Amino acid sequence: MTTTPLRLGTRRSALALVQAGYVRDRLSALGHEVELVEITTKGDVSMAPLDTIGGTGVFVTALREALLDGRVDLAVHSLKDLPTAPADGLVLAAVPEREDPRDVLCARDGYKLSDLPVGARVGTGSPRREAQIRALGLGIEIVGLRGNVDTRLGKVADGTLDGVVLARAGLARLGRLDSVTEVLDPMQVLPAPGQGALGIECRAADTELVQTLGALDDPATRAAVTAERTLLAVLEAGCTAPVGAYAEAAEGESGLELYIRAVVAARDGSVSIRKSATGPLGGAEQIGRDLAHELLADGAGAVVDAAGPASKEE
């Protein structure tokens, strides 16, 4: 039993606090006292498009600074927000079991994506979602959107939008799955790398805490997100281009295997490059790297470059 409470840094949003509460409860079950320390990030205080306020890392930097200067002992992130480059002095100590990472549509009148009339207005803050929905050729108008879950759903309720696309994981954690009208098939819309997973960081020098947090790590989830994030890193997209990836662990002929699908798409939907790969669970990093090189060989680099400083996944 720890004598001094572990200080867990978290963003102040409702979803972030739920996620932090989950980590706190897991640690409490192991006999550790935990107190939440709320940290305001740049991404929380500005409603400007994410590309104009820094893109990748806007929800992470303040938490990492709090770790490095000793204000908190550990921090929990939505893993899709975490830059792929490692941070000096910090370690990703645990990746707990992942929530369902798929995207969902929350639309008026119970509509599914294919039921929406031509010209229907669908909101999303994600260039990845925008690119893949446009590629479906349904004639849907994509409207830029930021804000918390309630704000976004409110745009549908008040008639401003016909629907919004969100991550199922966030709605599940908030108890809002009743708003979902369709879970989007990854064959049509692949989620963001790391979507649905949490990342728990601490200082690398706190070896005892690193070991403690290791009890929360789920090896299958760790392998899946490692493949997805390695792919993203090799593409040098850094979450700034419309890139989707989804890896799953499944029983194969010789034990657990990792199956990953990925897409790099032009934001206007004019180009969509999709690839998949399978390999041993222990080779997650290599699988992600090899698949990224296959995408690059098919022209993904030009798509990434053309996307420029698009707003980061949200």
Side-chain angles (χ1 to χ4, degrees), residues 26-286:
R26 288 285 305 275
L27 288 169
S28 296
L30 296 175
H32 302 280
E33 187 178 351
V34 181
E35 63 180 32
L36 301 187
V37 179
E38 297 179 15
I39 305 291
T40 300
T41 73
K42 190 174 183 179
D44 294 318
V45 297
S46 173
M47 290 306 294
L50 294 181
D51 58 322
T52 66
I53 59 173
T56 303
V58 297
F59 295 116
V60 172
T61 302
L63 288 167
R64 285 180 159 176
E65 289 173 349
L67 273 173
L68 291 170
D69 66 21
R71 282 176 286 149
V72 300
D73 302 304
L74 65 155
V76 59
H77 310 282
S78 291
L79 197 57
K80 71 176 183 179
D81 291 335
L82 203 63
T84 55
D88 290 342
L90 301 180
V91 62
L92 185 60
V95 181
E97 186 175 359
R98 188 183 208 171
E99 273 279 0
D100 186 334
R102 293 176 295 176
D103 283 327
V104 296
L105 175 70
C106 302
R108 64 177 176 86
D109 303 324
Y111 277 136
K112 294 184 177 181
L113 202 60
S114 60
D115 298 331
L116 287 167
V118 173
R121 292 164 51 82
V122 173
T124 176
S126 161
R128 170 191 59 81
R129 291 174 180 142
E130 178 180 354
Q132 293 183 85
I133 292 171
R134 288 190 187 280
L136 296 175
L138 300 174
I140 291 170
E141 180 185 348
I142 303 297
V143 179
L145 184 66
R146 285 203 60 201
N148 60 31
V149 168
D150 285 333
T151 297
R152 298 184 192 206
L153 292 176
K155 297 290 186 182
V156 179
D158 68 14
T160 302
L161 296 172
D162 296 295
V164 293
V165 180
L166 301 168
R168 185 189 184 282
L171 293 173
R173 290 178 175 129
L174 290 169
R176 300 296 301 276
L177 288 177
D178 57 330
S179 301
V180 174
T181 57
E182 182 183 14
V183 178
L184 301 182
D185 187 338
M187 293 297 289
Q188 293 183 312
V189 180
L190 279 168
Q195 185 161 302
L198 303 179
I200 306 172
E201 277 191 319
C202 69
R203 291 178 290 274
D206 292 345
T207 53
E208 185 176 343
L209 180 55
V210 172
Q211 185 175 0
T212 295
L213 294 176
L216 275 57
D217 196 67
D218 180 69
T221 298
R222 168 82 72 160
V225 300
T226 295
E228 295 166 9
R229 287 167 54 78
T230 299
L231 176 139
L232 189 66
V234 173
L235 291 174
E236 298 184 348
C239 294
T240 62
V243 175
Y246 181 20
E248 298 175 274
E251 194 67 36
E253 292 181 0
S254 56
L256 275 180
E257 293 184 338
L258 199 64
Y259 174 60
I260 179 172
R261 287 169 283 178
V263 62
V264 177
R267 194 163 181 174
D268 64 3
S270 61
V271 179
S272 182
I273 304 169
R274 288 179 176 261
K275 290 283 186 180
S276 63
T278 304
L281 196 67
E285 189 171 326
Q286 190 63 49

